[in-house]
Amino acid sequence: MLLDTAQSQLVLVDYQARLMPAIFEAPLVLGNALRLAQIAHLLEVPVWGTEQNPSKLGENPPELRALCAQTLSKMHFSGVEEGLGEWLRPPAKPVAGNARSLPKHLQKPAGNPAERNTIVIAGCEAHVCLLQTALHLLEDEFEVWVVTDACGSRTERNRDAAFDRLAGAGAELVTTEMVAFEWLRSAEHAHFKAVQNLIK
């Protein structure tokens, strides 16, 4: 199973000013998050951000925030506890017209044809906010793909424990380049060169 741009959304969790200096391999982690956001933007994949207690931990970097459709300010460690799920899967719109105009067995089920059920997620700290958000998304029946080289914790041990737990719960573990090239699918894609330049 490969990622598909038409089904994907990108969630970037808590790359905040006062948190990042404590994160293991922070420049690499943040660089990959920015690459992911730029690639998603090029390929028209919606990008969402979260910030944990921003009054204490600061905001995400402005260049990352600028690529997000919206950024959720939260106090719960899981963004889903504070409405992220509604952003990712908006409530279905009621069927227009007279509901009694067709017998029930002929009415089409209400559904959102533009629903994107695949969540590509990365962030900090991997074993706290990222983990709890991803587990809640899995519970809510999203497909969750965790971009390991764009995730961080203060220690390697905590980060890796989060990956083990997420894989056991059914998340797919991927890297930034895996996401980029699966979204592209072909060297003939109109944005191949631009994406390749971002990867390099």
Side-chain angles (χ1 to χ4, degrees):
M1 185 174 64
L2 298 174
L3 284 166
D4 182 345
T5 53
Q7 298 299 316
S8 299
Q9 300 185 71
L10 176 63
V11 174
L12 299 171
V13 177
D14 307 355
Y15 293 92
Q16 290 163 263
R18 291 189 203 117
L19 176 62
M20 291 313 291
I23 298 296
F24 178 72
E25 295 182 336
L28 176 69
V29 167
L30 185 54
N32 283 328
L34 190 55
R35 257 181 226 98
L36 278 170
Q38 291 166 328
I39 293 164
H41 199 68
L42 263 178
L43 303 180
E44 299 181 3
V45 172
V47 184
W48 311 95
T50 70
E51 292 170 345
Q52 177 68 26
N53 192 6
S55 65
K56 291 280 183 350
L57 295 175
E59 294 185 339
N60 290 338
E63 63 273 23
L64 201 62
R65 263 183 148 255
L67 293 164
C68 294
Q70 285 182 269
T71 298
L72 177 73
S73 174
K74 63 189 178 67
M75 292 300 286
H76 283 89
F77 300 125
S78 167
V80 176
E81 296 270 25
E82 302 213 22
L84 180 64
E86 283 76 39
W87 290 7
L88 300 173
R89 188 186 284 145
K93 292 181 179 145
V95 179
N98 185 347
R100 291 176 293 181
S101 59
L102 280 175
K104 214 176 191 99
H105 70 281
L106 294 177
Q107 291 176 17
K108 289 184 181 172
N112 184 356
E115 190 171 288
R116 293 168 176 262
N117 208 44
T118 302
I119 309 304
V120 177
I121 189 169
C124 301
E125 283 195 66
H127 65 295
V128 185
C129 293
L130 174 93
L131 174 81
Q132 292 187 32
T133 301
L135 290 174
H136 274 134
L137 290 171
L138 286 164
E139 271 180 28
D140 289 349
E141 298 182 355
F142 286 99
E143 289 176 17
V144 176
W145 299 61
V146 178
V147 190
T148 56
D149 61 352
C151 292
S153 292
R154 283 162 295 145
T155 68
E156 259 184 294
R157 186 175 178 86
N158 276 321
R159 181 199 65 192
D160 295 347
F163 295 156
D164 289 344
R165 188 160 169 208
L166 286 163
E172 294 282 343
L173 301 187
V174 291
T175 65
T176 301
E177 289 195 21
M178 289 164 76
V179 172
F181 291 109
E182 287 181 34
W183 276 346
L184 284 172
R185 295 289 175 95
S186 166
E188 295 176 323
H189 192 289
H191 293 296
F192 174 73
K193 280 282 185 211
V195 171
Q196 192 179 37
N197 289 337
L198 286 170
I199 294 293
K200 286 179 178 174

